[in-house]
Every structure is written in C-alpha cells, then in structure tokens.
Amino acid sequence: MSVTHAPAVDVLRHQDPELAEVLLAERHRQSTTLQLVAAENFASPAVLAALGSPLANKYAEGYPGARHHGGCEIVDVAETLAVERARALFGAEHANVQSHSGSSAVLAAYAALLRPGDTVLALGLPHGGHLTHGSPANFSGRWFDFVGYGVEAESGLVDHDQVRALARAHRPKAIVCGSIAYPRHLDYAFFREVADEVGAYLIADAAHPIGLVAGKAAPSPVPYADVVCATTHKVLRGPRGGMILCGSGLAERIDRAVFPFTQGGAQMHTIAAKAVAFAEAATPAFAAYAHQVVANARALAAALAAEGFAVTTGGTDTHLLTCDPAPLGVDGRTARGRLAAAGIVLDCCVLPHGDARGLRLGTAAVTTQGMGEGEMRTIGGLLAQGVLGAGEAGATRARVRELVAGFPPYPG
Ligand SMILES: *Cc1c(COP(=O)(O)O)cnc(C)c1O
C-alpha cells in the first residue's frame, strides 16, 4: 500500500467511494476558492505524507526511551528528531511536541503551573483572547479565575497601563499573552517585566505568530516567557497539532502535564509530520516565505483601507488583520456570507469596544500558493466587490476562480 498522499485518494476511490468523494470535493474547494482564514495554511506534500503513514498505527505512551508500549524504538527516532529540530529552530532548552492541539498545549501549561482556582491574567475574549484564556464555555473559565485585560479603544493596541494595574491589583499566578486576532507584535519584554514585578509565571500563547518566529519575521517569546504554547498548523505550515517550549527548569513538569496528566498515547504520525515541518521551517526558503506573508498582509491591509474598510490598528505587523466593513454599509456577518457566496473564505471576529462583528483574515495560505503584493491588491478589490455586490456574487466568484487558478496549492 502506498503511503504517499495523492495515491491515498486512489486507494479510497476503490474501497470507499463515498468518502473519496468527500476528499476530492474538499481538495476542489480548497483549490477553487480563496483561503483567507487566518489560522489556515497548505501543508507540504512531505508533511501530508508523514500524516498518512503507518506511524499512525503505533501506540507510544510516554517519551522516547521511556514508553509504556513495546516496539517504540523506531518512532522514538521520529519524536527525538521533532524535539531536537524544535529546540534548534526556536532556541529553546526544552520542547514537548506531543500536544494534540494548541488548546491541549495551553491546558498542559496550566496543569503544569497552576492549581484550580488560581487567578490568571489574560487578554479578554472580546478583545481577542482565545477560548482557553478564560471562556466560561471552556475548562479555563470553569477551573481558573480569569481577569481580562484589553486593547485601547482608539489605537487598538494592548493597554499596557491596564495590564500593569490589573496585575498589581489581582496578583495573578500566571499572565497569558497571546491572541487569536491581534495584528501587531506583542511586547514580550513588557509582559516579562510585569510578571516579575508581581511574581507571576508568563505564558506566551504564540499559536498564531510562531511560524513567523520560525522564519524570523516576528520577535520570539522564547527568551521572555516561562512557557510558550503554540500550534504547528497555522503560519508554521505543519500538521494540525500543538507544541510547548520552555526552559530546562520546567521541562519535567511540562512533560508530565502533557502525558500522563492531560493526554494518553502520542500521535506518532503527527509528531513525524511536525519533525518534517520543523526542518522545512529552518530553511532560507521558509524565512523568505514568512517575510512575504507579512509583506502580503500589509499590502492587503492597505488595499482594504483604500476600499473603505476600517482596518484595526491601521494595519498589521503579522500575517493577520481584522477590519470592520461597517463604513461600506455592511455588518461583519452579512459580509462573510456574501464573500462565501463569492468564493472568498474568511472568519468573523469580535471587534473590541462595540457589539459589531468584524472580519478576520490572514495571508499564510495565499502566500504558500505563491501570491504576492500585486495579488493582495487584487484581493482587496475583490473583497470590496464581494461585500458590496450582493446581487453580483457570480461575477466576483468568476474573478476569484480565475485568480486562484493561477496559484494551485498543490501543483500537479
Ligand atoms: C489557534 C489558537 C489556539 C488553539 O489551537 P487549536 O489547535 O485550535 O486547539 C490557542 N490559542 C490561540 C491564541 C490560538 O490562536
């Protein structure tokens, strides 16, 4: 049986045509619509090959050299490679690559450092915090006492004075910095200083920017945070999964918080795919990619501003941006629906300081496809056309199809 990606569809086509249809339809959707979901990317064929490999069959509770199952000596090599590559890529003393997702990485970080009922200071959810930063619908909000800081109404930037004041008033056990929608660099040195002042741990949830960090297109939280949580599937362009980086002093606590405290067996196929992605991310080509992602996001932000969208913070330092389509006379939800009909896929987001919904978009995927700043200007125009032209979705759809046809995510 072949273990490569493309033939996997052929195997399925014979054995399970119904599911094969789903794979083919999704591949078609991804290559014929415009992917602007800020958290998404196109993993390489090498990453997909590792994911679709027989490593998926292996049970491997524990860590390399100390497993609870027999026959782990080969998958141990894959995990050791992933750990060593992650440490080298991010300059971290310790890396745990077993977290099944970004959320599980955050859960493990809390489990390592906190006890239920502890106070945690994090970006409030209406201001761009993640579910794991204190949502009442999530374990974090149920088990910990979260206090939320915010962004300033005028600038859209993190309110440092408020962070410091809340830290002094609440003496949190941990401070979390990280966001699902913040378009600017976070000042990790500032957060470190506040954490030191109040004796708190600093947890950087770098799920979004970690790929830019790998490509040296964004500052690294590693020198500042006690623990860095991340995903491997956003700008980093690896398999869907999580990762934790920390100093040697916390290594054992983090490892035990991942397994056995919050997870069982490691997913060795995913860990192998993470190793592949870390090696890819260490190349000059990836650094060039990461810088292009940012240049594209800046070009897209400028194009959207020129079309009349209210771009939060006036632009971006990263791969993502948020904007309010209200000046065009359309609310976020309606805009997303109209854009979907035109083949443009993106998310709604909460906009701080108001009830309105905005749009969140990112350039990681389109940059992997090979698009540059010229295409971003085109996309800015398509977004305005799509948002405004309720009756003309067909015309916009045709232009989108034509644009993406020139940039196949998986050529050949
Ligand atoms: C994406 C994200 C996560 C969660 O990642 P999942 O893999 O979806 O669980 C956590 N924190 C932040 C800030 C994120 O952006």
Side-chain angles (χ1 to χ4, degrees), residues 39 101-104 106 130 132-133 178-180 205 207-208 231 233-234 241:
S101 69
S103 300
S104 343
V106 177
H130 184 254
T132 53
H133 303 172
S179 170
I180 60 169
D205 184 0
H208 266 281
T231 60
H233 51 274
K234 295 180 181 174

